[in-house]
Amino acid sequence: QKEVEQNSGPLSVPEGAIASLNCTYSDRGSQSFFWYRQYSGKSPELIMFIYSNGDKEDGRFTAQLNKASQYVSLLIRDSQPSDSATYLCAGRGGDAGGTSYGKLTFGQGTILTVHP
Amino acid sequence: EAGVTQSPTHLIKTRGQQATLRCSPISGHTSVYWYQQALGLGLQFLLWYDEGEERNRGNFPPRFSGRQFPNYSSELNVNALELEDSALYLCASRREGRETQYFGPGTRLLVL
């Protein structure tokens, strides 16, 4: 089992729709979770991070975390063609001295296409 | 505020050679992380440096090594290059006490 798994893509949504991206993780010691967006040929850029159970909203983006279910999601409202990219979910390990300490473990990414 | 910078942008080497990749973190950031993004393998954690010390290491062979300098810049060295080392190498930096790692533009290494 991969430590961080993302829903299989690619995901295609029409412009203006809600895009839903999902991620599950296996390491219960993970402290916080990040969503990055990566355009083809570019480096990842941070969308937002979350570390408390519940929802966190930032503009058109809402991240949701459920630690009991070990589940993280990202909702993109009013999707735009410029949102077309690969979305990476990552968890940060916590325990000092452990193999996962401090590092980000990434899922394989979900390719999102927003078509006009 | 200038972002993370990496050099060179592209690097072509032959098998068996050594490669040196460089990273300058965002001003005020003390932690530097290195990741490898190989085709089909996703982003894999390589190394984490903080205050000049190696804090954690990913599941990579010892020929991947690095260091962090007193000005917090960092260097990644890959010895005895193999074809499968061809990848995008990303550096990220983080400010102490903060959560977020910010990525540089990467160095694309091609091993022939």
Side-chain angles (χ1 to χ4, degrees), chain A residues 19-31:
Chain A
S20 177
L21 303 158
N22 304 312
C23 174
T24 57
Y25 61 95
S26 60
D27 181 5
R28 286 197 173 272
S30 295
Q31 299 290 302

Side-chain angles (χ1 to χ4, degrees), chain B residues 20-56:
Chain B
T20 298
L21 288 64
R22 296 180 176 83
C23 171
S24 291
I26 294 171
S27 177
H29 289 200
T30 57
S31 277
V32 170
Y33 302 78
W34 287 96
Y35 294 87
Q36 182 197 65
Q37 189 171 34
L39 205 59
L41 293 180
L43 263 161
Q44 306 284 324
F45 167 75
L46 265 166
L47 291 158
W48 169 26
Y49 291 97
D50 180 59
E51 296 287 353
E53 299 288 329
E54 182 181 301
R55 300 298 185 188
N56 201 357

Side-chain angles (χ1 to χ4, degrees), chain A residues 13-48:
Chain A
V13 301
E15 184 174 355
I18 295 175
S20 177
L21 303 158
N22 304 312
C23 174
T24 57
Y25 61 95
S26 60
D27 181 5
R28 286 197 173 272
S30 295
Q31 299 290 302
S32 49
F33 301 88
F34 301 78
W35 284 100
Y36 285 87
R37 176 172 62 193
Q38 187 174 26
Y39 293 109
S40 181
K42 302 294 185 182
S43 62
E45 56 178 335
L46 179 74
I47 298 173
M48 60 194 307

Side-chain angles (χ1 to χ4, degrees), chain A residues 60-74:
Chain A
R60 296 187 295 112
F61 300 94
T62 299
Q64 299 173 316
L65 174 61
N66 184 324
K67 291 187 177 181
S69 300
Q70 296 177 244
Y71 175 86
V72 192
S73 68
L74 179 71

Side-chain angles (χ1 to χ4, degrees), chain A residues 31-32 34 36 38 41-44 46 49 51 88 92 98-104 106-107, chain B residues 33 35 37 42-45 48 55-58 88 90 99-106 108:
Chain A
Q31 299 290 302
S32 49
F34 301 78
Y36 285 87
Q38 187 174 26
K42 302 294 185 182
S43 62
L46 179 74
F49 75 93
Y51 54 87
L88 300 167
R92 179 181 68 78
T99 58
S100 63
Y101 177 48
K103 72 177 188 182
L104 293 182
F106 285 85
Chain B
Y33 302 78
Y35 294 87
Q37 189 171 34
L43 263 161
Q44 306 284 324
F45 167 75
W48 169 26
R55 300 298 185 188
N56 201 357
R57 180 182 183 85
L88 179 65
L90 292 159
E99 282 282 355
T100 304
Q101 297 180 25
Y102 295 92
F103 284 86
R108 197 165 294 278

